[in-house]
Amino acid sequence: MTTLTRDPARPAPGERARNGRGPRLSGPAWLVWRQHRAAFWTLIALTLLCVVVMVLLRGQMMDYLDTLSSSRRKPGSLPPDFEKYSYRLADFGGYLGYLPVLAGVFLGAPLIAGDLETGTAKLVTSQSVSRRRWLTTKLAMPAVLIALSAAVLAAVFSWWWHPVKTLTEQLEWTSGIFFDVTGVMPVAYALLTFSVGAAVGMLLRRTLVSMVVTLGIVVAVGVVWDRFRLDLGHVLSVSTSKGVGPGARLPKLPAGAVQQGQGAHFLTSSGDRLDWTTCLGTSDDSNARTACLESKHVIGWSVDYLPISQMHTMQWLGAGIMLAVSAALVTFIILRARKRLL
């Protein structure tokens, strides 16, 4: 007579490798996946769907560009009927801009608040799993999935945008539609809002309230970011010295550059810059205004701009700030959980 020491339906250690099955989640990782698998699978499905749509739309755009005759397309420009493809690109970039909102409100906010509200956190931490291990796993799994999804979407969208990003003013890289959804920015932005949601959920301990508050904070962060995004760049200037009278042209900006400020400035012989409204109210006579400008030694125009070559540097700087804030929030969550969680 033998004593049964293990469940015969469960494979012994090492047997899983022999029967061809791969590794499975266990412990806190298994629990986190089971709890949030609907949200995780939804994020994966949406990512794959967006990738497929972007690949198809880019293919249509490239087919259209390839079929253009040389008479309809000038070097460095796009025909007027390209607008519908520009709108598709800009609209999809706007849709991708909602990823940080989804990460913060639907993944971050309910993550800890749901467990605190239902008592799951108390049950889990009363077992052999430590609070730190449970909380680390709780934060790491969705963070990795969010980062991977954001990175994939950013890479495919950048691949779609790259062939035409310097050919039309409708696709300005300084716009959040392109700046915030390409490069490293989507990853950092989504992780920031996810960390905000997780911190709010731990503090408020109620799922619905945490989601509403997180939404408000994410919107506020977006407003502040839109206001200060371009301050990360170094504004350059280009000027002319052939006068400002009839026939005088404004200086030409490099390809992909975006003009900054309210407009062009008058440039004087001493290098000073005057607002374009200078001498505007002296008289309705153009000769009088010309004489006024000559008395101020105006010799040409000066225009401020941001070159597209600074885009990646600005993105990495902005991403670094966001990741630093995210790290601070995660540290706050873990330290507070050690003292007061349940």
Side-chain angles (χ1 to χ4, degrees):
M1 183 175 182
T2 59
T3 301
L4 184 62
T5 57
R6 66 180 180 86
D7 186 354
R10 180 174 299 176
E15 185 178 342
R16 194 171 296 154
R18 292 193 299 270
N19 61 22
R21 290 187 177 182
R24 290 186 176 182
L25 297 177
S26 61
W30 177 87
L31 178 61
V32 172
W33 178 264
R34 289 284 298 179
Q35 283 182 301
H36 306 285
R37 63 186 183 278
F40 292 163
W41 281 119
T42 300
L43 179 60
I44 294 173
L46 288 176
T47 300
L48 294 177
L49 177 62
C50 289
V51 168
V52 171
V53 173
M54 285 191 288
V55 170
L56 293 175
L57 292 178
R58 185 188 187 274
Q60 294 176 5
M61 181 187 75
M62 296 307 297
D63 289 342
Y64 172 78
L65 292 177
D66 291 340
T67 57
L68 289 178
S69 62
S70 58
S71 61
R72 295 180 61 197
R73 181 183 177 186
K74 298 179 181 179
S77 63
L78 294 172
D81 51 353
F82 183 78
E83 287 187 357
K84 69 174 182 179
Y85 297 96
S86 299
Y87 291 145
R88 288 179 183 176
L89 192 56
D91 289 344
F92 211 94
Y95 298 147
L96 294 181
Y98 288 107
L99 178 61
V101 179
L102 298 178
V105 175
F106 294 101
L107 286 175
L111 189 70
I112 301 175
D115 285 358
L116 294 175
E117 189 174 15
T118 60
T120 304
K122 184 175 182 180
L123 175 63
V124 172
T125 54
S126 65
Q127 308 300 316
S128 59
V129 179
S130 66
R131 290 185 182 182
R132 178 180 295 180
R133 182 185 174 190
W134 170 76
L135 198 57
T136 301
T137 306
K138 193 81 172 175
L139 292 171
M141 285 190 66
V144 170
L145 185 59
I146 290 171
L148 289 175
S149 298
V152 170
L153 292 173
V156 178
F157 185 79
S158 299
W159 174 63
W160 179 11
W161 177 49
H162 180 77
V164 295
K165 65 180 181 180
T166 61
L167 301 182
T168 173
E169 295 180 354
Q170 297 175 352
L171 306 177
E172 290 184 356
W173 63 270
T174 54
S175 169
I177 295 175
F178 300 102
F179 190 92
D180 294 345
V181 298
T182 57
V184 71
M185 276 303 305
V187 177
Y189 205 160
L191 290 178
L192 172 62
T193 56
F194 169 74
S195 303
V196 169
V200 170
M202 187 184 68
L203 293 175
L204 299 183
R205 310 169 72 89
R206 293 292 183 270
T207 302
L208 184 58
V209 176
S210 299
M211 294 174 71
V212 174
V213 173
T214 299
L215 177 60
I217 295 176
V218 170
V219 171
V221 169
V223 172
V224 174
W225 175 243
D226 286 340
R227 167 61 182 83
F228 293 102
R229 179 197 305 112
L230 299 185
D231 293 340
L232 299 175
H234 176 62
V235 177
L236 303 179
S237 299
V238 60
S239 59
T240 63
S241 58
K242 297 181 179 180
V244 295
R249 295 183 178 181
L250 292 175
K252 185 178 181 180
L253 301 181
V258 179
Q259 182 174 323
Q260 301 297 295
Q262 299 298 320
H265 295 80
F266 292 127
L267 180 68
T268 66
S269 57
S270 61
D272 295 332
R273 300 201 308 172
L274 306 176
D275 190 81
W276 66 272
T277 58
T278 301
C279 299
L280 190 61
T282 54
S283 173
D284 293 335
D285 186 4
S286 60
N287 293 329
R289 190 186 185 201
T290 300
C292 175
L293 293 175
E294 290 177 351
S295 67
K296 297 181 181 296
H297 307 288
V298 172
I299 60 173
W301 296 100
S302 178
V303 178
D304 295 334
Y305 69 95
L306 279 175
I308 196 171
S309 59
Q310 293 189 20
M311 180 179 181
H312 294 302
T313 302
M314 294 169 62
Q315 286 180 321
W316 276 103
L317 182 57
I321 296 173
M322 291 185 176
L323 290 175
V325 176
S326 301
L329 289 172
V330 171
T331 302
F332 165 75
I333 293 172
I334 294 177
L335 292 178
R336 181 178 175 83
R338 294 177 59 185
K339 298 180 180 180
R340 184 177 182 272
L341 178 65
L342 307 178

